[in-house]
Amino acid sequence: MTPAARAAAAIAILDRILDGQAAEAALIRWARASRFAGSGDRAAVRDLVFDALRRLRSRAALGGALSGRGLLLGMCRDEGLDPDALFTGEGHGPPPLSDAERAAGHAPTPDEALDLPDWLLPLWRKALGPDAEPVALAMRERAPVWLRVNLRRADPARAVAALAGEGIAAVPHPDLPTALRITKGARRLAASRAYREGLVELQDLSPQMACAALPARGSLLDFCAGGGGKALALAARGASPVVAHDIDAARMADLPARAERAGVRIRLAAPGQVAGRFDTVVADVPCSGSGTWRRSPDAKWRLTRDDLDRLASRQALILEQAAGFVAEGGHLAYMTCSVLAVENDEQVQGFLARDPRFEQILARHFSPLSASDGFYLALMRRR
């Protein structure tokens, strides 16, 4: 595909997303209908779409319209590209720009330049204070790819060498050597031996840092396990026995195979069937995902205030449920992939006011400025 043809494809996909279709669904639909597109074409179109979604408001301002064409025109103006090189009207390229399109557009306002919904800006600024603008601007960039070294299979040096042997360059984080940032060859990871043999797992730096702050001995319940990344990480560090639970059992479907590959044992509990008390309970609750909007940028445009309020109510309920499984003297770890106070500190303070059996030991706030994704950890101890 030519660059112009890729732009035309991105425009069509963006229009579907703006009409309400989820980004992944729109991309899959296009790929299935475009068998002529090679892997490089699919990756390039995906990058165009996701970059436009990360910068939706600013690109729409520059392009003069909240549409696929407006967003791609905004990209050209933002990056100093000649729009006539993409809007060619030739072959499979998008039609040439009209006089009205050439005249439209303006420099983004300060709020538009943050690329966040208007209703969210007060909550964002309240939660992040002086970091509100830098974090918002960082969320407009593509997220790095991080790996966790599985200490049951390898040490960091061996993992780096194994990846390098397959054309994947990775460097350890200076404060957490088991966290590796891929600097080259990320798309080769899934087929690599290092990944297939369990030397490394995909996991962002922020949750890795959060897990590193938790006790790694004794029994563990991952109450909202999802794919089980945190259960795997803590089992590799020595927690045992480990139980994973999720209200949607389908989310854990791949966990047995992942645990076998990693060389750890994890027992799955059926939805609502957790029993007993645990030394550590992790509750990584459903949330807005505001800390991960670099990876799923369409989510920030779908979120509403009503959604956020419903999530906060659900988080409070889950936190109370999880607390019931903590043994006396044990720990409760509350986590979100959010940067919003209403889901983080405010949620924890409300819980502590309702349940005086628990005391807070620490709170950690992660963001692209300090780690990678936005993430929150509050660690509490049961008296």
Side-chain angles (χ1 to χ4, degrees):
M1 296 175 67
T2 65
R6 290 172 174 177
I11 287 169
I13 294 166
L14 286 165
D15 283 336
R16 293 192 192 108
I17 295 169
L18 293 171
D19 282 341
Q21 195 167 5
E24 289 293 348
L27 283 160
I28 290 171
R29 178 181 174 184
W30 170 79
R32 287 176 176 169
S34 307
R35 301 296 184 184
F36 56 84
S39 60
D41 295 319
R42 293 194 298 272
V45 170
R46 182 184 182 86
D47 288 346
L48 287 172
V49 169
F50 272 64
D51 286 347
L53 292 172
R54 291 186 190 100
R55 300 171 180 244
L56 190 75
R57 293 190 71 189
S58 60
R59 292 276 173 84
L62 287 165
L66 184 56
S67 65
R69 283 178 66 85
L71 292 170
L72 265 291
L73 176 56
M75 177 200 73
C76 291
R77 290 171 173 165
D78 191 22
E79 297 181 0
L81 304 175
D82 178 7
D84 291 325
L86 291 182
F87 292 84
T88 62
E90 298 175 359
H92 296 285
L97 296 173
S98 66
D99 290 341
E101 286 175 317
R102 294 182 187 279
H106 63 268
T109 66
D111 283 355
E112 288 172 336
L114 297 181
D115 283 303
L116 293 168
D118 271 330
W119 71 266
L120 185 66
L121 285 171
L123 296 176
W124 188 273
R125 290 179 171 126
K126 176 184 177 183
L128 292 163
D131 288 339
E133 181 174 342
V135 172
L137 295 177
M139 288 291 182
R140 299 169 6 133
E141 305 296 331
R142 192 177 311 177
V145 178
W146 287 90
L147 304 174
R148 175 180 58 79
V149 177
N150 176 18
L151 294 176
R152 294 292 182 95
R153 299 290 195 207
D155 59 27
R158 181 186 169 198
V160 169
L163 291 165
E166 299 186 75
I168 304 167
V171 295
H173 188 274
D175 298 326
L176 188 63
T178 52
L180 307 180
R181 181 171 59 88
I182 295 183
T183 58
K184 179 184 176 183
R187 290 193 168 105
R188 299 188 181 118
L189 179 67
S192 70
R193 289 186 62 187
Y195 179 74
R196 288 186 285 108
E197 295 179 0
L199 277 65
V200 295
E201 282 278 349
L202 275 166
Q203 189 174 38
D204 187 65
L205 175 63
S206 300
Q208 287 194 59
M209 286 183 160
C211 286
L214 300 185
R217 294 290 182 271
S219 57
L220 172 80
L221 169 63
D222 190 352
F223 190 61
C224 305
K230 295 169 188 66
L232 290 168
L234 292 164
R237 290 181 55 218
S240 180
V242 177
V243 176
H245 166 273
D246 198 283
I247 199 63
D248 182 356
R251 295 174 184 162
M252 301 188 294
D254 295 335
L255 184 51
R258 294 177 69 194
E260 182 177 1
R261 186 175 70 219
V264 298
R265 298 185 64 183
I266 296 176
R267 181 172 69 83
L268 304 189
Q273 299 300 310
V274 177
R277 298 289 185 272
F278 298 82
D279 296 308
T280 302
V281 176
V282 175
D284 184 2
V285 299
C287 70
S288 65
S290 56
T292 64
W293 281 344
R294 293 190 296 181
R295 303 178 192 276
S296 53
D298 59 322
K300 68 178 170 181
W301 309 113
R302 294 198 308 268
L303 183 72
T304 68
R305 181 63 209 236
D306 287 344
D307 292 335
L308 190 58
D309 291 341
R310 282 191 290 269
L311 283 166
S313 296
R314 188 178 181 192
Q315 290 158 1
L317 176 61
I318 292 172
L319 188 49
E320 290 177 4
Q321 291 173 337
F325 298 108
V326 181
E328 186 173 343
H331 294 86
L332 174 61
Y334 175 80
M335 299 180 181
T336 76
C337 52
S338 174
V339 298
L340 303 176
V342 67
E343 300 183 276
N344 295 340
D345 292 303
E346 292 176 17
Q347 192 69 259
V348 170
Q349 293 310 309
F351 166 74
L352 293 173
R354 295 188 300 271
D355 195 335
R357 296 176 302 166
F358 287 85
E359 59 179 344
Q360 186 169 344
I361 299 172
L362 62 83
R364 300 273 176 87
H365 301 79
F366 303 96
S367 80
L369 306 183
S370 61
S372 182
D373 285 352
F375 200 82
Y376 176 77
L377 163 68
L379 184 62
M380 295 162 275
R381 180 190 295 119
R382 182 177 170 183
R383 297 183 175 95

PDB file of all heavy atoms in Angstrom, residues 339-352:
ATOM      1  N   VAL A 339      -5.260   7.320  37.133  1.00  0.00           N
ATOM      2  CA  VAL A 339      -4.564   8.429  37.785  1.00  0.00           C
ATOM      3  C   VAL A 339      -5.536   9.339  38.526  1.00  0.00           C
ATOM      4  O   VAL A 339      -5.130  10.369  39.072  1.00  0.00           O
ATOM      5  CB  VAL A 339      -3.751   9.261  36.765  1.00  0.00           C
ATOM      6  CG1 VAL A 339      -2.676   8.413  36.100  1.00  0.00           C
ATOM      7  CG2 VAL A 339      -4.665   9.896  35.712  1.00  0.00           C
ATOM      8  N   LEU A 340      -6.812   8.988  38.567  1.00  0.00           N
ATOM      9  CA  LEU A 340      -7.842   9.862  39.121  1.00  0.00           C
ATOM     10  C   LEU A 340      -8.038   9.602  40.616  1.00  0.00           C
ATOM     11  O   LEU A 340      -8.191   8.458  41.047  1.00  0.00           O
ATOM     12  CB  LEU A 340      -9.164   9.667  38.380  1.00  0.00           C
ATOM     13  CG  LEU A 340      -9.106   9.908  36.865  1.00  0.00           C
ATOM     14  CD1 LEU A 340     -10.448   9.590  36.223  1.00  0.00           C
ATOM     15  CD2 LEU A 340      -8.686  11.348  36.570  1.00  0.00           C
ATOM     16  N   ALA A 341      -8.077  10.669  41.402  1.00  0.00           N
ATOM     17  CA  ALA A 341      -8.180  10.541  42.851  1.00  0.00           C
ATOM     18  C   ALA A 341      -9.459   9.847  43.285  1.00  0.00           C
ATOM     19  O   ALA A 341      -9.475   9.117  44.286  1.00  0.00           O
ATOM     20  CB  ALA A 341      -8.083  11.927  43.493  1.00  0.00           C
ATOM     21  N   VAL A 342     -10.547  10.063  42.548  1.00  0.00           N
ATOM     22  CA  VAL A 342     -11.824   9.458  42.925  1.00  0.00           C
ATOM     23  C   VAL A 342     -11.747   7.939  42.898  1.00  0.00           C
ATOM     24  O   VAL A 342     -12.486   7.260  43.620  1.00  0.00           O
ATOM     25  CB  VAL A 342     -12.952   9.970  42.000  1.00  0.00           C
ATOM     26  CG1 VAL A 342     -12.770   9.478  40.566  1.00  0.00           C
ATOM     27  CG2 VAL A 342     -14.322   9.573  42.529  1.00  0.00           C
ATOM     28  N   GLU A 343     -10.827   7.377  42.113  1.00  0.00           N
ATOM     29  CA  GLU A 343     -10.655   5.927  42.053  1.00  0.00           C
ATOM     30  C   GLU A 343      -9.506   5.450  42.928  1.00  0.00           C
ATOM     31  O   GLU A 343      -9.372   4.233  43.126  1.00  0.00           O
ATOM     32  CB  GLU A 343     -10.386   5.500  40.611  1.00  0.00           C
ATOM     33  CG  GLU A 343     -11.492   5.842  39.628  1.00  0.00           C
ATOM     34  CD  GLU A 343     -11.199   5.321  38.237  1.00  0.00           C
ATOM     35  OE1 GLU A 343     -10.478   6.022  37.484  1.00  0.00           O
ATOM     36  OE2 GLU A 343     -11.677   4.230  37.920  1.00  0.00           O
ATOM     37  N   ASN A 344      -8.709   6.361  43.436  1.00  0.00           N
ATOM     38  CA  ASN A 344      -7.482   5.998  44.126  1.00  0.00           C
ATOM     39  C   ASN A 344      -7.513   6.403  45.592  1.00  0.00           C
ATOM     40  O   ASN A 344      -8.128   5.734  46.408  1.00  0.00           O
ATOM     41  CB  ASN A 344      -6.283   6.600  43.387  1.00  0.00           C
ATOM     42  CG  ASN A 344      -6.128   6.007  41.989  1.00  0.00           C
ATOM     43  OD1 ASN A 344      -6.649   4.933  41.701  1.00  0.00           O
ATOM     44  ND2 ASN A 344      -5.419   6.696  41.123  1.00  0.00           N
ATOM     45  N   ASP A 345      -6.887   7.502  45.946  1.00  0.00           N
ATOM     46  CA  ASP A 345      -6.801   7.889  47.355  1.00  0.00           C
ATOM     47  C   ASP A 345      -8.166   8.075  47.991  1.00  0.00           C
ATOM     48  O   ASP A 345      -8.383   7.665  49.144  1.00  0.00           O
ATOM     49  CB  ASP A 345      -5.991   9.181  47.488  1.00  0.00           C
ATOM     50  CG  ASP A 345      -4.529   8.988  47.138  1.00  0.00           C
ATOM     51  OD1 ASP A 345      -3.884   8.129  47.759  1.00  0.00           O
ATOM     52  OD2 ASP A 345      -4.043   9.675  46.228  1.00  0.00           O
ATOM     53  N   GLU A 346      -9.090   8.691  47.271  1.00  0.00           N
ATOM     54  CA  GLU A 346     -10.420   8.902  47.848  1.00  0.00           C
ATOM     55  C   GLU A 346     -11.118   7.577  48.117  1.00  0.00           C
ATOM     56  O   GLU A 346     -11.827   7.424  49.131  1.00  0.00           O
ATOM     57  CB  GLU A 346     -11.260   9.785  46.922  1.00  0.00           C
ATOM     58  CG  GLU A 346     -10.761  11.225  46.830  1.00  0.00           C
ATOM     59  CD  GLU A 346     -11.554  12.059  45.831  1.00  0.00           C
ATOM     60  OE1 GLU A 346     -12.672  11.641  45.453  1.00  0.00           O
ATOM     61  OE2 GLU A 346     -11.050  13.128  45.429  1.00  0.00           O
ATOM     62  N   GLN A 347     -10.932   6.621  47.235  1.00  0.00           N
ATOM     63  CA  GLN A 347     -11.542   5.307  47.422  1.00  0.00           C
ATOM     64  C   GLN A 347     -10.967   4.620  48.661  1.00  0.00           C
ATOM     65  O   GLN A 347     -11.708   4.056  49.479  1.00  0.00           O
ATOM     66  CB  GLN A 347     -11.286   4.458  46.176  1.00  0.00           C
ATOM     67  CG  GLN A 347     -12.081   3.189  46.105  1.00  0.00           C
ATOM     68  CD  GLN A 347     -13.548   3.428  45.895  1.00  0.00           C
ATOM     69  OE1 GLN A 347     -14.323   3.352  46.854  1.00  0.00           O
ATOM     70  NE2 GLN A 347     -13.954   3.696  44.672  1.00  0.00           N
ATOM     71  N   VAL A 348      -9.648   4.687  48.811  1.00  0.00           N
ATOM     72  CA  VAL A 348      -8.999   4.034  49.945  1.00  0.00           C
ATOM     73  C   VAL A 348      -9.363   4.702  51.264  1.00  0.00           C
ATOM     74  O   VAL A 348      -9.648   4.029  52.269  1.00  0.00           O
ATOM     75  CB  VAL A 348      -7.467   4.013  49.745  1.00  0.00           C
ATOM     76  CG1 VAL A 348      -6.750   3.554  51.011  1.00  0.00           C
ATOM     77  CG2 VAL A 348      -7.113   3.093  48.577  1.00  0.00           C
ATOM     78  N   GLN A 349      -9.382   6.026  51.289  1.00  0.00           N
ATOM     79  CA  GLN A 349      -9.731   6.720  52.527  1.00  0.00           C
ATOM     80  C   GLN A 349     -11.164   6.416  52.943  1.00  0.00           C
ATOM     81  O   GLN A 349     -11.466   6.297  54.141  1.00  0.00           O
ATOM     82  CB  GLN A 349      -9.512   8.228  52.360  1.00  0.00           C
ATOM     83  CG  GLN A 349      -8.052   8.616  52.187  1.00  0.00           C
ATOM     84  CD  GLN A 349      -7.142   8.006  53.240  1.00  0.00           C
ATOM     85  OE1 GLN A 349      -7.419   8.127  54.440  1.00  0.00           O
ATOM     86  NE2 GLN A 349      -6.069   7.361  52.811  1.00  0.00           N
ATOM     87  N   GLY A 350     -12.062   6.310  51.976  1.00  0.00           N
ATOM     88  CA  GLY A 350     -13.431   5.933  52.295  1.00  0.00           C
ATOM     89  C   GLY A 350     -13.496   4.538  52.896  1.00  0.00           C
ATOM     90  O   GLY A 350     -14.240   4.294  53.858  1.00  0.00           O
ATOM     91  N   PHE A 351     -12.727   3.596  52.335  1.00  0.00           N
ATOM     92  CA  PHE A 351     -12.712   2.234  52.864  1.00  0.00           C
ATOM     93  C   PHE A 351     -12.158   2.208  54.290  1.00  0.00           C
ATOM     94  O   PHE A 351     -12.729   1.557  55.180  1.00  0.00           O
ATOM     95  CB  PHE A 351     -11.862   1.339  51.961  1.00  0.00           C
ATOM     96  CG  PHE A 351     -11.516   0.022  52.578  1.00  0.00           C
ATOM     97  CD1 PHE A 351     -12.467  -0.979  52.703  1.00  0.00           C
ATOM     98  CD2 PHE A 351     -10.226  -0.215  53.060  1.00  0.00           C
ATOM     99  CE1 PHE A 351     -12.143  -2.197  53.303  1.00  0.00           C
ATOM    100  CE2 PHE A 351      -9.902  -1.429  53.649  1.00  0.00           C
ATOM    101  CZ  PHE A 351     -10.865  -2.422  53.771  1.00  0.00           C
ATOM    102  N   LEU A 352     -11.049   2.911  54.542  1.00  0.00           N
ATOM    103  CA  LEU A 352     -10.446   2.918  55.876  1.00  0.00           C
ATOM    104  C   LEU A 352     -11.379   3.527  56.915  1.00  0.00           C
ATOM    105  O   LEU A 352     -11.393   3.092  58.073  1.00  0.00           O
ATOM    106  CB  LEU A 352      -9.123   3.680  55.839  1.00  0.00           C
ATOM    107  CG  LEU A 352      -7.999   3.027  55.027  1.00  0.00           C
ATOM    108  CD1 LEU A 352      -6.802   3.960  54.918  1.00  0.00           C
ATOM    109  CD2 LEU A 352      -7.580   1.693  55.632  1.00  0.00           C
TER     110      LEU A 352
END
